[in-house]
Amino acid sequence: DQKTMASKVGVPPFAVGKYVKQAGLYRTEQLKEALERCIQADEAIKTGALQDKMSVELLIFELTEMKQSEEK
């Protein structure tokens, strides 16, 4: 149930429904790829390879491109 999921991930219960709905718009492989790109962005920031703002901007661009290419 949403209350249990919310407590496990540390978000308000009302947000769980929104997250579940959004996640349903993507295939599991797409979500895994997006998570991998988030991990890469985090690593780039932590190792100093990229500044935080640049890393997040690139992440947004990559995820947007990924979604658009899948829609074609």
Side-chain angles (χ1 to χ4, degrees), residues 3-72:
K3 201 170 193 176
T4 303
M5 286 191 280
S7 68
K8 288 188 182 235
V9 295
V11 298
F14 74 88
V16 171
K18 292 179 181 184
Y19 293 144
V20 169
K21 184 178 176 183
Q22 285 291 315
L25 299 174
Y26 299 90
R27 294 186 330 271
T28 302
E29 275 307 309
Q30 290 173 303
L31 294 172
K32 286 180 181 178
E33 178 64 26
L35 181 58
E36 180 60 37
R37 290 182 187 210
C38 289
I39 292 167
Q40 291 170 355
D42 183 56
E43 185 177 317
I45 293 167
K46 289 179 177 176
T47 61
L50 290 173
Q51 293 182 348
D52 55 353
K53 185 176 179 181
M54 177 60 75
S55 184
V56 172
E57 288 175 355
L58 285 172
L59 175 64
I60 292 168
F61 177 77
E62 289 175 356
L63 295 177
T64 302
E65 285 291 309
M66 183 177 79
K67 180 66 176 162
Q68 289 176 349
S69 69
E70 301 246 344
E71 290 175 352
K72 292 180 181 179

